[in-house]
Amino acid sequence: MSVAVALDGAVRGLQLALLAVGMTLLFGLGGVLNLAHGAIVVLAAITVATATGALGVPLGLAAVVGIAVATLFGVLLDRTVLRPVHRRRGEARVLLSLLLTLAVALVVEGLLGWWLPTGALSIRVAGGPVDVLGVAMPRGALVAGALSLVAVGAVAWLLRGTVTGRAVRCVIEDEVGARLVGVDPGRMRTLVFALASALAGLVAVTSAMTGPVGVRDGFALTVLALVVAVVGGLGSASGALAAGLLLGVVEAASAATLGTSWTAVVLLATAAATILVRPRGLAGGRR
Amino acid sequence: MTAADGPPAVEVVDPDAGVDTRAVVVAALPVVVVAALLALVPLVVGDSRTAMGVAVGVLVAIGYGVGVNVVLGLTGQLLLCVGALGAVGGYGVALLADDRGWPVLAAVVASTTAASVLGGLFCWLSVRRSLDAIFTGIVTLAFALGVESVLLGQRTITGGEDGRRVRAVADTVLADRVGGYYALLAAVVLCLAVFRWLERSHHGWAYRALRDAPTTAALAGVDVGRHRVRAGAVGAAMVGLVGSLQALVETRIAPSTYSFTAVDVETLVVVAVGGLGRALAPVVGGVSLGLLDELWLRELGTLRLAVDGAVLLVVFLALRDGVLGALERWGRRRRAG
């Protein structure tokens, strides 16, 4: 494997990890599989594209607005549509959350696709390619990779190093136990929903630096996030990082050797193989 | 879930008691009535090509719906690759009958079997690794994405985005809208009959038990894994069969014919609107959505997706057991005075 493929894979892998981290935390915390995750990414992307394009807002401010819109949408989702989900337990909860968030995703994508049929966000990062280990890497890919790494690292630190993070992990381990020691699972869930959606907003910005994020990409983004989250072990941020890097490198290698039409298949085969060997994911969480 | 909000309990024939004619009639009656009503459609609108096109579409939706109703409705496993399995059926027939020169019937059987094996495999994977039934949803969703990208990528066989023609029955009665309609109707009635039989046999009891309380069912001696895999294989076979017939009757298939939004979302809406797990749910959902489509929804274009989502939201939040469930409750209240 050449250095170029490894670097491409690493950048892609960091982005996949960022995409999956929100999904994996939400599932670990509330037993909610959020099929609207990709739709939130698209919502943020279209917000940023509209702000920078039609309204002429500077990119930095537009990105902040996009992430804020995504966060707000996530909190709203948690507080309205998903209320009946939280009253259920176990498998019934996951199933209902899947169906409801799928419905929400359809509404969001349907409305956005109707409003802006060709809407897409591309961000051009100024400056020429940068030489990394003898490979000329596009500057946008490096910035996107770095931003993803910082964000995933920040989430990992938040979970391990802060009181709130420990409360969140406490709920992931045992919801009833958390309640007994004074942690409110409902509040933690809203918090994680906000965090996951903010990360989805950030995905829109970083992904747009390496390629366009279109109004119809929500479904593919959701599936990728799911696959990475499952391979990493649902509920684990470090697992998502490991799985993202693994699948990113596999994707880059298969794109370089087999061509892009087979990358999805190779990616899914790798994911299936990993799950068969480590059913609980790379991180081997206890759920 | 309690007995009150699930589908009503059905009488089960004691296997040792011989054939109870009354029970058979009760079991078969809804299917026969539906078959007779649907068979009348071409006699009424057979002259109009457009109307027959809509009718064929409704049958396809009902067929997919029965498949989903077996897997999701009876055993609570989320099958999110209905379109992809339909594509296995449709492109399978095109490949075997058109490109390889197989007899049409053999091609239909082979591609239906392929879809069935895949469906069973996905359920087996999640059962095997003792992962939640939700896992089926994730695996099948990933499979759906994989199939879509292969269909778009392998242009020489699939024709890529533009799709390809299916000429296997081009010169026969099936290519005529009415002939194709009756062929699809036969398949749909077969699927409904199988569903009805599953529901009322000892399988039905096992399904209800494992859907509502898998652990309890396993303790009571139900082989949960085997039943889930079998239901997955049966449901997927129905989807594959309908997918292959759809390709033959419509004579042109493209990735959009079998896309997630075109098939999976529509099927979910059809079954959920009717009432998940009830035998006639796909018929009620399919016919009412077909009519709505003609009257109003078609003009929405891309907004259609948002309407589908909104319908699903309303059904899952407010009307958990669909139109049939609501009717039943209304009927019960009226009888109670």
Side-chain angles (χ1 to χ4, degrees):
Chain A
M1 185 170 54
S2 71
V3 182
V5 170
L7 281 176
D8 274 347
V11 168
R12 175 77 179 143
L14 287 171
Q15 286 177 312
L16 287 177
L18 183 63
L19 183 64
V21 144
M23 180 85 92
T24 206
L25 282 181
L26 266 184
F27 183 79
L29 190 78
V32 171
L33 266 182
N34 182 13
L35 289 193
H37 201 66
I40 297 179
V41 175
V42 171
L43 177 68
I46 297 302
T47 307
V48 177
T50 312
T52 51
L55 306 177
V57 177
L59 179 63
L61 184 62
V64 172
V65 171
I67 293 172
V69 166
T71 312
L72 202 67
F73 185 82
V75 172
L76 214 66
L77 190 63
D78 176 61
R79 283 296 164 98
T80 55
V81 173
L82 290 178
R83 283 182 78 100
V85 170
H86 303 316
R87 283 199 290 271
R88 287 164 189 267
R89 290 275 166 273
E91 212 157 86
R93 183 193 266 191
V94 193
L95 193 61
L96 189 61
S97 75
L98 269 177
L99 293 169
L100 284 175
T101 53
L102 175 66
V104 169
L106 294 175
V107 172
V108 171
E109 282 167 30
L111 287 176
L112 287 178
W114 168 71
W115 181 46
L116 291 169
T118 54
L121 174 67
S122 304
I123 295 172
R124 194 185 300 268
V125 177
V130 182
D131 186 87
V132 183
L133 301 174
V135 181
M137 292 290 289
R139 206 173 281 253
L142 292 179
V143 174
L147 276 176
S148 307
L149 185 62
V150 169
V152 176
V155 171
W157 169 78
L158 200 74
L159 286 178
R160 292 192 184 282
T162 66
V163 176
T164 317
R166 279 199 286 273
V168 168
R169 276 165 55 215
C170 176
V171 178
I172 291 182
E173 286 298 319
D174 183 352
E175 205 172 305
V176 179
R179 216 183 278 274
L180 288 176
V181 295
V183 175
D184 178 359
R187 261 190 61 200
M188 290 302 133
R189 202 186 46 236
T190 307
L191 190 75
V192 170
F193 235 109
L195 180 66
S197 309
L199 291 172
L202 188 59
V203 167
V205 176
T206 58
S207 301
M209 292 178 180
T210 49
V213 181
V215 82
R216 296 185 198 293
D217 292 341
F219 173 55
L221 286 167
T222 300
V223 175
L224 273 179
L226 266 179
V227 167
V228 176
V230 169
V231 168
L234 283 162
S236 157
S238 49
L241 183 61
L245 285 175
L246 170 73
L247 294 177
V249 171
V250 167
E251 192 189 280
S254 75
T257 50
L258 294 172
T260 44
S261 82
W262 284 102
T263 46
V265 180
V266 173
L267 205 64
L268 300 174
T270 315
T274 324
I275 292 162
L276 282 175
V277 182
R278 304 270 318 242
R280 293 293 176 213
L282 294 177
R286 241 173 294 158
R287 258 200 69 91
Chain B
M1 196 185 280
T2 59
D5 51 75
V10 282
E11 309 152 40
V12 165
V13 185
D14 177 0
D16 301 326
V19 178
D20 178 347
T21 328
R22 195 182 141 266
V24 173
V25 170
V26 169
L29 195 63
V31 179
V32 173
V33 170
V34 164
L37 286 178
L38 289 176
L40 292 177
V41 169
L43 303 183
V44 182
V45 295
D47 298 334
S48 153
R49 251 189 99 70
T50 340
M52 281 316 290
V54 175
V56 164
V58 167
L59 278 186
V60 168
I62 296 176
Y64 286 141
V66 181
V68 168
N69 214 14
V70 170
V71 187
L72 179 61
L74 290 182
T75 60
Q77 304 178 93
L78 200 53
L79 192 74
L80 289 179
C81 61
V82 181
L85 288 175
V88 169
Y91 280 92
V93 159
L95 184 69
L96 293 174
D98 272 17
D99 302 352
R100 296 281 157 84
W102 285 34
V104 174
L105 196 62
V108 169
V109 170
S111 28
T112 302
T113 312
S116 172
V117 169
L118 283 168
L121 181 74
F122 297 139
C123 297
W124 177 80
L125 263 180
S126 42
V127 166
R128 184 78 204 148
R129 307 308 313 201
S130 60
L131 295 156
D132 308 18
I134 308 311
F135 186 75
T136 325
I138 302 175
V139 175
T140 51
L141 200 56
F143 174 69
L145 189 70
V147 166
E148 208 158 317
S149 85
V150 169
L151 288 185
L152 288 173
Q154 296 303 300
R155 301 190 144 272
T156 44
I157 301 167
T158 64
E161 202 165 337
D162 302 329
R164 59 169 290 166
R165 287 182 55 76
V166 185
R167 294 176 309 270
V169 295
D171 308 323
T172 68
V173 67
L174 284 182
D176 168 38
R177 287 276 158 178
V178 175
Y181 179 87
Y182 281 116
L184 264 166
L185 181 60
V188 165
V189 170
L190 175 71
C191 294
L192 277 173
V194 170
F195 184 96
R196 198 72 183 134
W197 172 73
L198 279 177
E199 188 187 34
R200 295 179 64 92
S201 68
H202 62 279
H203 298 283
W205 280 99
Y207 290 156
R208 270 188 294 283
L210 71 86
R211 184 195 57 200
D212 296 343
T215 316
T216 318
L219 287 172
V222 174
D223 188 339
V224 173
R226 193 193 308 177
H227 274 104
R228 278 190 170 155
V229 173
R230 204 181 286 164
V234 170
M238 293 175 178
V239 172
L241 175 65
V242 173
S244 60
L245 290 180
Q246 184 186 8
L248 290 173
V249 171
E250 291 186 351
T251 66
R252 174 154 210 102
I253 50 176
S256 58
T257 316
Y258 300 108
S259 73
F260 184 80
T261 43
V263 178
D264 286 88
V265 172
E266 292 294 311
T267 309
L268 209 53
V269 172
V270 159
V271 181
V273 164
L276 202 58
R278 290 174 158 78
L280 294 186
V283 181
V284 172
V287 171
S288 43
L289 252 89
L291 291 177
L292 265 185
D293 225 12
E294 269 320 281
L295 295 176
W296 176 54
L297 290 178
R298 180 143 304 171
E299 273 138 54
L300 292 176
T302 42
L303 205 54
R304 173 66 191 269
L305 204 58
V307 173
D308 279 343
V311 169
L312 280 179
L313 269 181
V314 170
V315 171
F316 288 129
L317 286 175
L319 207 67
R320 289 301 307 279
D321 40 8
V323 171
L324 286 175
L327 282 178
E328 256 165 41
R329 259 178 291 139
W330 181 72
R332 266 203 302 270
R333 262 206 308 277
R334 281 205 51 167
R335 271 201 303 279

